[in-house]
Amino acid sequence: MITRRGFMTLVGGGFASFAALGGYAFAVEPLARLSIARYRVIPPGWTPGLKLRLVALADLHACEPWMPADRIISICKRANSLGGDAILLLGDYASGMNFVTRHVHSSEWSKALSTLQAPLGVHAVMGNHDWWEDRTAQKSGGGETFAHRALMGVGIEVHSNRAIRLEKDGFGFWIAGLEDQLALRPGKIWNRRRMAGLDDLDGTLAQVTDEAPVILLAHEPDIFPKVPPRVSLTLSGHTHGGQVRLAGYSPVVPSRFGDRYAYGHIVEEDRNLIVSGGLGCSIAPVRLGVPPEIVVVDLG
């Protein structure tokens, strides 16, 4: 039979453990950790002899104190050291939280991202928060956001339903980037009753003019069931791995598919998707079991 002292010790120990776990999730994992998630993929029909390394960054959500400009520069320095043939930015550069001491201006985070370097360039798509934080873009229902302009202003390729052909060692491949699938919020403007996307998968892939492999950048992974086998690899962010992921499961995921596309390498019907756990935080500055990460993908 447990004594009163034993009961109080048990309760006190449980409270201390809970407090320590909360402190870690709030102050350590989001701020002090940076992991490298590595994947090796040989998609069906991949060009023999084409060896390609892609380095991907997702969901920075620039703000202070969680993701200031100097931390972004440090992340970029680490990304540059990983030997990527191309560096891919998967959207959500703007903050998605109110728990901030200061919002980092697009001129600051884009200047930090301009330090990224790769032989085949730096390529970006937009995320939902890049659209949601731009009231002018919401009113116009399209066009360019401040995030588009900031990235293009520092020389970063922005793909808005656009595909381009690149070459490495004489072998061609395509990078195709979708505009965001949740770009326009509900509201009185344009009588929108639900989220509206500006993505055009068919139109983007129609720009591919040969049989070279296609790498698709899509901020939200929910597009994946519609992606044809012609695409060798789809890369996404958005979910943050749920921000809390324990025993390989995320209880809350911003996806209509729940945990199905929450994180990691997913293979369905010989089609490949990799979902990054991202770098920053959205809604609340908490991460547990899914530390900020840079993704490295070796193809071929």
Side-chain angles (χ1 to χ4, degrees), residues 214-238:
V214 178
I215 310 299
L216 179 68
L217 314 183
H219 178 66
E220 294 92 357
D222 284 16
I223 194 72
F224 187 59
K226 298 179 181 178
V227 175
R230 173 70 183 86
V231 173
S232 298
L233 174 66
T234 301
L235 287 165
S236 296
H238 181 64

Side-chain angles (χ1 to χ4, degrees), residues 133-149:
E133 299 298 322
D134 191 322
R135 294 182 181 180
T136 301
Q138 289 295 309
K139 289 180 180 179
S140 65
E144 295 177 351
T145 66
F146 62 76
H148 286 86
R149 294 188 293 272

Side-chain angles (χ1 to χ4, degrees), residues 4-255:
R4 182 175 183 275
R5 174 176 291 183
F7 175 75
M8 294 304 293
T9 300
L10 182 65
V11 170
F15 180 80
S17 298
F18 181 79
L21 187 64
Y24 172 83
F26 184 79
V28 177
E29 190 161 305
L31 281 167
R33 293 193 61 189
L34 179 63
S35 64
I36 310 298
R38 297 181 182 272
Y39 303 92
R40 180 172 291 278
V41 183
I42 304 178
W46 186 258
T47 304
L50 174 56
K51 302 288 186 181
L52 190 64
R53 172 169 287 188
L54 305 173
V55 174
L57 310 180
D59 302 289
L60 283 162
H61 291 291
C63 64
E64 294 182 357
W66 312 105
M67 188 62 70
D70 58 353
R71 187 180 180 197
I72 297 174
I73 291 173
S74 176
I75 290 169
C76 291
K77 182 177 180 180
R78 183 75 176 97
N80 287 340
S81 73
L82 295 170
D85 296 301
I87 295 179
L88 311 175
L89 303 177
L90 301 178
D92 272 4
Y93 316 98
S95 176
M97 289 194 300
N98 293 321
F99 299 97
V100 303
T101 58
R102 188 177 78 89
H103 285 90
V104 175
H105 194 269
S106 59
S107 63
E108 297 175 74
W109 56 251
S110 61
K111 183 178 179 181
L113 289 172
S114 73
T115 62
L116 290 168
Q117 296 180 338
L120 298 179
V122 182
H123 304 266
V125 292
M126 293 296 112
N128 56 301
H129 284 284
D130 305 315
W131 280 94
W132 293 359
E133 299 298 322
D134 191 322
R135 294 182 181 180
T136 301
Q138 289 295 309
K139 289 180 180 179
S140 65
E144 295 177 351
T145 66
F146 62 76
H148 286 86
R149 294 188 293 272
L151 291 174
M152 291 187 293
V154 296
I156 292 175
E157 291 257 20
V158 178
H159 298 261
S160 178
N161 297 324
R162 185 171 74 111
I164 64 169
R165 191 180 192 277
L166 301 172
E167 284 194 3
K168 183 193 175 188
D169 299 330
F171 298 105
F173 68 96
W174 293 81
I175 289 182
L178 295 185
E179 194 48 82
D180 191 68
Q181 301 157 57
L182 301 172
L184 305 179
R185 305 182 78 168
K188 295 181 180 179
I189 302 169
W190 307 110
N191 294 316
R192 290 193 299 267
R193 295 184 179 181
R194 60 183 64 185
M195 296 286 183
L198 295 173
D199 55 302
D200 181 2
L201 179 62
D202 292 341
T204 303
L205 296 182
Q207 299 167 39
V208 175
T209 57
D210 61 22
E211 297 303 313
V214 178
I215 310 299
L216 179 68
L217 314 183
H219 178 66
E220 294 92 357
D222 284 16
I223 194 72
F224 187 59
K226 298 179 181 178
V227 175
R230 173 70 183 86
V231 173
S232 298
L233 174 66
T234 301
L235 287 165
S236 296
H238 181 64
T239 64
H240 302 201
Q243 281 191 198
V244 174
R245 188 168 181 84
L246 301 173
Y249 176 74
S250 301
V252 179
V253 182
S255 165

